[in-house]
Amino acid sequence: MISEVCLRHGIVIYVGAWAESVSYAAIRASTRDCKAAPMTETFQGSFTQQEPIPDEGVEAAMRVLQSGRLHRYNVGPDEQGETALLEQEFAAQMGAKYCLAVASGGYALATSLRALGVKPGDKVLTNAFTLAPVPGAIASVGAIPVFVGVTENLVIDLEDLRAKAAQADVLMLSHMRGHLCDMDLLMEICDATGLKVVEDCAHTMGAKWKETLSGRHGAMACYSTQTYKHANSGEGGLLVSDDDELMAKAIMLSGSYMLYERHLARPPMEVFENVKYETPNISGRMDHLRAAILRPQLRDLDQQVARWNERYCVIEDGLRDTPGLTVVERPEQETYVGSSIQFLLLDWDADKIDDVLQRCAARGVELKWFGGAEPVAFTSRYDSWRYAPSEAMPETDRVLAGVIDMRIPLTFSVEDCAFIASIIRAEVSAVWQEG
């Protein structure tokens, strides 16, 4: 169990018998010292270096490799298999009836749309602030993304959602970069208008709105286990639902053939009788090797969340009151996972923002910008996806033009995070003062 209060409130984080306690006063003093010091030092850490796979996962992976049985349905007598066990454990962890492990988070998104019966030409609502796999999943089934605006809190604009709700039957809700909107109000809008909700929880595995885990509001929820997410199998995805027919269809879609009985977190067998002849096989299964790597990581999820949030709070505190910089405030009802941090340089000229990015990069701090005219690496915005026609959204464009994004790997120490915050603060301040 986690007993957690953010460091900005001055309370240490504890996780069961494990505890990583850091003196809040010491971190504040360290951050202040960094702010006051001559800002010429360079950060030497890597923003793409993940922690190693736990020994338990490596050992389990070696057993799979030595067995030669990597395919999820290739199991020995009386074996359940790593993939089926992963599904059973993750369903229990999320409080869901059913779980399906697949090849990627993007595959999970597309599978959820197919299970819901989305057809070519249908419109699907989704966030304007998201990453390319979300509209990509919509386009992959021949549907048309309809973008909903974003607020300065980096969540979906619920008034814009209300205005556009009649255009579609499905909302693919991206909890982009881990920011949860008011889920109670969102579901009120969706229930009133008949919108079915698919939650993209790629950045919110382990997060909560009030006491409800992210992914437990909608009809289906999709999680990613790509390297930069909250559990690392290189690529991979997990799909959860409480709906018998939707999950039976998803299992058939994933390529179960007639072997669905081997799933441990599946609907009753008779449900498959109603869908097996009408549901195509669009193979995208997870294998035993990736499942073996994931199982011990997911058991440690609460501990990892606490560690991420400790680092997030140190960076957030170091950025507060920086001239020209807006910290994105998190609502009290949200338990977030601080695996990345975003801040806003609202109404800055593009060349000034680029100057900040270049100055920070020169000092070893990698920042991403959602306001760039062209897609860069993983970063793009709704008007970059020309397969998805869009109308101009001036308020959303203003927000996206100022969104700065940064990963927080767990390979960074708390002291690293204080130093990174001091670099960002110094370089933003320097450009701001230049006018």
Side-chain angles (χ1 to χ4, degrees), residues 91-108:
Q93 189 172 3
M94 294 295 106
K97 288 172 69 175
Y98 310 124
C99 176
L100 174 66
V102 294
S104 71
Y107 181 88

Side-chain angles (χ1 to χ4, degrees), residues 67-82:
S67 76
R69 297 180 182 272
L70 274 69
H71 192 282
R72 72 160 295 157
Y73 299 120
N74 186 358
V75 293
D78 302 319
E79 286 183 350
Q80 296 171 315
E82 292 284 345

Side-chain angles (χ1 to χ4, degrees), residues 104-370:
S104 71
Y107 181 88
L109 292 170
T111 298
S112 69
L113 294 176
R114 290 188 172 98
L116 282 162
V118 175
K119 300 291 193 299
D122 289 352
K123 293 181 177 180
V124 176
L125 298 174
T126 194
N127 312 50
F129 179 45
T130 188
L131 293 179
V134 176
I138 297 169
S140 76
V141 301
I144 301 167
V146 176
F147 296 110
V148 182
V150 63
T151 73
E152 290 183 22
N153 291 324
L154 301 188
V155 297
I156 192 168
D157 184 331
L158 294 179
E159 290 309 309
D160 195 31
L161 174 64
R162 195 189 302 274
K164 294 175 177 174
Q167 297 185 38
D169 294 325
V170 175
L171 166 66
M172 180 161 278
L173 174 66
S174 177
H175 300 306
M176 176 62 173
R177 285 296 189 253
H179 294 271
L180 294 174
C181 71
D182 183 334
M183 291 302 297
D184 298 325
L185 181 53
L186 178 134
M187 291 308 301
E188 181 183 310
I189 294 168
C190 292
D191 290 344
T193 55
L195 272 175
K196 303 178 186 73
V197 178
V198 174
E199 294 184 67
D200 167 26
C201 303
H203 303 152
T204 54
M205 181 191 287
K208 292 180 182 178
W209 180 259
K210 296 181 179 176
E211 293 304 313
T212 301
L213 282 164
S214 180
R216 302 302 296 128
H217 288 88
M220 306 189 88
C222 306
Y223 306 81
S224 173
T225 59
Q226 185 248 34
T227 286
Y228 298 120
K229 304 305 190 293
H230 299 166
N232 175 14
S233 60
E235 289 287 356
L238 295 158
L239 182 103
V240 303
S241 181
D242 289 343
D243 187 286
D244 289 5
E245 184 171 309
L246 292 179
M247 186 52 76
K249 288 180 177 179
I251 290 171
M252 296 295 300
L253 284 161
S254 74
S256 68
Y257 299 90
M258 298 298 124
L259 300 174
Y260 44 79
E261 185 175 6
R262 299 187 187 181
H263 288 245
L264 300 177
R266 59 163 173 78
M269 289 293 289
E270 57 268 23
V271 181
F272 291 89
E273 293 298 319
N274 299 326
V275 303
K276 67 182 184 182
Y277 298 113
E278 306 296 331
T279 307
N281 179 328
I282 306 173
S283 294
R285 298 168 296 270
M286 182 179 286
D287 55 67
H288 289 317
L289 183 60
R290 284 183 284 179
I293 291 169
L294 286 171
R295 290 176 65 203
Q297 292 182 63
L298 290 171
R299 286 195 285 271
D300 288 341
L301 180 60
D302 284 353
Q303 175 177 313
Q304 300 295 75
V305 170
R307 295 177 63 212
W308 262 310
N309 288 354
E310 183 177 30
R311 286 152 178 77
Y312 180 99
C313 289
V314 169
I315 296 172
E316 180 187 58
D317 185 70
L319 296 181
R320 284 192 181 280
D321 303 319
T322 301
L325 181 152
T326 301
V327 169
V328 179
E329 302 293 350
R330 312 302 291 245
E332 291 182 2
Q333 302 95 321
E334 178 191 33
T335 301
Y336 57 84
V337 183
S339 55
S340 68
I341 191 165
Q342 295 71 45
F343 58 88
L344 300 173
L345 301 179
L346 284 173
D347 303 319
W348 283 48
D349 291 339
D351 60 341
K352 296 294 186 183
I353 293 178
D354 187 63
D355 194 12
V356 169
L357 300 182
Q358 297 304 320
R359 293 173 70 128
C360 287
R363 300 189 59 198
V365 175
E366 296 181 19
L367 302 178
K368 308 299 181 184
W369 178 34
F370 279 89

